[in-house]
Amino acid sequence: MGFPKGFLWGGSISAAQIEGGWNEGGKSPVLVDYCTAGSTKERRQIWYLDKDGKREHRNWGAVDELEKGCKFAFFDDLHYTNHVASDFYHRYKEDLALFKEMGYTTFNTSISWARIYPHGIKGGINQEGVEFYRDVFKTAKEYGMDPVITLYKYDEPVSLLEQHGGWRNRAMIDEFVEFARVCFTEYKDYVNKWMTFNEINIIMPRDGQKTEKNQRNLIYLHNQLVAAARATIVAHEIDSNLKVGCMICGNMSYPLTPDPLDAIARYENFQDFFCYSADTQMRGYYPPFAKRIWGKYGITPEITEQDKEDLMNGKSDFIGFSYYASGVVTTHKVEENGHTAGNVLGTVKNPYLKANAWGWQIDPVGFRHLMHLINDRYNAPMFDVENGIGLIETEGEDGICHDPARIEYHREHIKEMKKAIEEGVNLFGYTTWGCIDLVSAGTGQMDKKYGFIYVDMDDQGNGDLHRSRKDSFYWYKKVIASNGEDLD
């Protein structure tokens, strides 16, 4: 049976991780512009001045705010990988042509809020940014792609954080909805499939501690869920043909032991991290177990009657998700070396799986398992937005990056994806992360390669940014041409 006719094949990127041009074309800084690269063992660092004017840094967070009196700052002796990234801002026509050569029928990227509204509503629309994305999407359509575009990927303008103090302020909801309105209006001729917040659940507390940060993040998340719903309502008002989905970071996990408490812990992990956000966006209301979560963290979000109405009227039209690796959950004590990084989410090691250099446990079967869980729970169209692996790679003496590990990773995941569709999963598209090398979200590295297209740039800023086709480029081209049948 295989993949259905019209199944969307492509790749996924994001504005902050690929564009560069961080201060060009009217764009204002976003959080990651203040970040330096980490490593296989360290998170990326964000830099600032404390209230005494002293230089400080700490781990970057997907949403962030500084203590009163502190200020994000740049330092001349540091290298910020996002400032240049892969230079898509200047090379997008070249890159889109390479996507066309691979045979893409879709591609996913995000729109930098800081290019459209650099200083929020009060600062006005930046027309140069509007026209940049118009040409990107127009070119993609001319190349036969049906883009699926994301509005937000942890990159609100820092100027808005300074104005409003972050997502705990409900003023950010209005700012986001107006940003979304401009995008839906300006690009509806080129884009009819949208997603609001990328991996909106990534800020969900997971340690069970009643800390100020965890309580703050639940408030952040509520305001983002409301903003997403209101933006969805606006999209449907602008054009009833527009489809707006949510996008959830996928967490597939297993209990470590047959202990019933491990089984309950695993299920609660799935409820807390995945379903709390997905249920709210797909069903239009918080699930009953939200009360357990709020009690655990000692907080109840301020949910107005208007919020409830908006969540119900702004339900998502489809569910997008990411999947990279799986994890293990247990209530039992595990030795220190029994844990692994597991993307940005730490986990217990699974003895049955291999991992990459960053500790991600490679599990193609878990990909199929997660798709069934999502399909059974929501009975709605599904879109796999991100699936990929970070590897250390260089070009060989022949000028080609030979990446058999990437081919193997995607081959096995596509096999499981095909099985899931044949078993009834309602999946309409697959975009790999990423189609071209870019800055890693978690570590800020350029050395960590993700794409089918090699970009000559490293963590220290060495390289001329030339593009070259990896072995996986030709392999994925063959996969697309055969609609997923030829995986050799």
Side-chain angles (χ1 to χ4, degrees):
M1 188 165 60
F3 292 93
K5 184 179 180 181
F7 187 82
L8 296 178
W9 295 94
S12 189
I13 54 179
S14 83
Q17 292 169 263
I18 195 167
E19 283 181 6
W22 72 280
N23 61 351
E24 297 182 57
K27 178 183 172 294
S28 65
V30 299
L31 282 176
V32 292
D33 290 330
Y34 296 92
C35 288
T36 52
S39 67
T40 56
K41 300 185 183 300
E42 296 179 343
R43 303 273 297 155
R44 69 191 316 179
Q45 300 293 298
I46 189 162
W47 295 78
Y48 61 98
L49 295 171
D50 69 12
K51 58 186 178 182
D52 298 319
K54 181 183 175 182
R55 169 169 159 167
E56 291 288 353
H57 64 93
R58 55 178 166 77
N59 287 349
W60 165 81
V63 294
D64 218 326
E65 62 181 50
L66 295 174
E67 294 181 10
K68 189 175 182 179
C70 299
K71 184 178 179 62
F72 292 113
F74 296 111
F75 302 98
D76 291 341
D77 62 323
L78 299 179
H79 175 67
Y80 303 93
T81 47
N82 288 83
H83 285 194
V84 174
S86 305
D87 200 30
F88 182 81
Y89 184 68
H90 298 106
R91 300 168 184 251
Y92 68 91
K93 287 188 181 291
E94 174 188 358
D95 293 340
L96 290 172
L98 286 166
F99 300 167
K100 176 188 177 184
E101 184 181 338
M102 263 192 286
Y104 281 14
T105 56
T106 189
F107 95 106
N108 166 253
T109 191
S110 60
I111 295 174
S112 177
W113 190 346
R115 287 200 190 279
I116 305 299
Y117 271 118
H119 303 287
I121 297 170
K122 75 174 187 179
I125 297 171
N126 173 35
Q127 196 60 35
E128 189 171 352
V130 171
E131 297 307 321
F132 167 72
Y133 289 110
R134 191 191 315 280
D135 200 49
V136 170
F137 303 148
K138 180 181 178 182
T139 302
K141 288 292 280 188
E142 290 172 350
Y143 285 166
M145 296 174 220
D146 179 13
V148 183
I149 302 302
T150 303
L151 289 171
Y152 174 90
K153 190 163 185 177
Y154 337 123
D155 60 350
E156 61 274 276
V158 169
S159 62
L160 281 184
L161 300 180
E162 294 170 344
Q163 286 179 48
H164 302 304
W167 274 100
R168 72 171 71 195
N169 189 335
R170 292 176 68 93
M172 289 293 288
I173 297 174
D174 295 333
E175 293 278 3
F176 179 79
V177 172
E178 288 310 305
F179 161 58
R181 188 189 307 277
V182 170
C183 294
F184 296 144
T185 302
E186 294 288 344
Y187 308 130
K188 58 183 170 60
D189 292 339
Y190 310 105
V191 181
N192 60 20
K193 299 179 188 66
W194 295 86
M195 290 176 291
T196 48
F197 288 74
N198 184 82
E199 294 185 328
I200 194 169
N201 57 323
I202 202 73
I203 63 173
M204 187 71 191
R206 303 181 76 237
D207 61 9
Q209 302 300 309
K210 295 180 180 180
T211 62
E212 181 182 351
K213 180 179 178 181
N214 285 341
Q215 294 170 344
R216 180 198 74 182
N217 278 12
L218 282 169
I219 296 170
Y220 280 172
L221 184 52
H222 173 72
N223 289 339
Q224 290 184 351
L225 289 166
V226 172
R230 291 185 185 174
T232 302
I233 293 169
V234 167
H236 294 158
E237 291 172 348
I238 290 171
D239 187 337
S240 60
N241 293 316
L242 297 183
K243 301 298 182 184
V244 184
C246 58
M247 200 292 210
I248 311 294
C249 177
N251 72 318
M252 182 62 236
S253 59
Y254 311 100
L256 180 65
T257 74
D259 183 344
L261 292 178
D262 275 9
I264 291 174
R266 187 222 61 91
Y267 189 65
E268 287 188 354
N269 178 62
F270 181 59
Q271 285 182 317
D272 293 10
F273 188 67
F274 191 94
C275 302
Y276 178 89
S277 299
D279 283 12
T280 306
Q281 293 192 276
M282 295 301 297
R283 295 175 175 175
Y285 55 87
Y286 279 106
F289 60 82
K291 292 181 180 179
R292 170 179 58 77
I293 295 170
W294 298 335
K296 179 166 59 176
Y297 291 103
I299 191 173
T300 301
E302 178 191 342
I303 306 172
T304 68
E305 290 304 312
Q306 187 63 53
D307 289 349
K308 294 177 183 178
E309 185 177 328
D310 290 335
L311 289 171
M312 180 56 67
N313 293 334
K315 289 184 291 186
S316 298
D317 297 313
F318 63 89
I319 181 166
F321 65 98
S322 61
Y323 178 84
Y324 291 94
S326 65
V328 173
V329 175
T330 185
T331 58
H332 298 270
K333 184 177 179 180
V334 176
E335 297 298 325
E336 188 64 31
N337 63 2
H339 291 85
T340 185
N343 197 359
V344 297
L345 309 172
T347 180
V348 175
K349 287 182 181 178
N350 188 328
Y352 296 95
L353 300 176
K354 296 179 181 179
N356 74 352
W358 289 266
W360 300 21
Q361 300 180 128
I362 301 168
D363 181 13
V365 174
F367 187 34
R368 176 160 58 104
H369 191 171
L370 178 64
M371 283 188 277
H372 275 292
L373 291 175
I374 298 171
N375 193 69
D376 293 349
R377 192 173 186 99
Y378 303 111
N379 190 30
M382 295 162 51
F383 178 50
D384 178 57
V385 188
E386 297 181 21
N387 173 237
I389 185 170
L391 300 167
I392 299 293
E393 296 171 336
T394 58
E395 290 176 310
E397 293 182 2
D398 57 359
I400 298 174
C401 176
H402 302 288
D403 56 342
R406 172 163 289 101
I407 293 173
E408 179 67 12
Y409 177 94
H410 284 293
R411 175 188 291 122
E412 296 308 310
H413 283 76
I414 291 172
K415 283 180 181 178
E416 295 299 325
M417 181 168 62
K418 181 180 178 182
K419 289 179 184 177
I421 290 173
E422 292 175 341
E423 291 164 352
V425 165
N426 183 12
L427 189 74
F428 67 82
Y430 173 74
T431 47
T432 65
W433 183 266
C435 35
I436 182 171
D437 293 340
L438 36 59
V439 179
S440 165
T443 66
Q445 292 180 272
M446 285 295 297
D447 287 346
K448 189 178 185 180
K449 304 297 187 181
Y450 279 99
F452 302 127
I453 301 165
Y454 181 84
V455 175
D456 185 44
M457 180 59 61
D458 67 15
D459 292 351
Q460 289 74 45
N462 302 310
D464 63 9
L465 291 164
H466 75 259
R467 275 71 164 139
S468 63
R469 300 162 183 80
K470 302 181 186 180
D471 287 346
S472 58
F473 179 101
Y474 301 102
W475 175 83
Y476 194 44
K477 180 178 180 179
K478 185 172 58 174
V479 171
I480 296 172
S482 66
N483 197 29
E485 292 301 316
D486 189 350
L487 299 176
D488 294 330

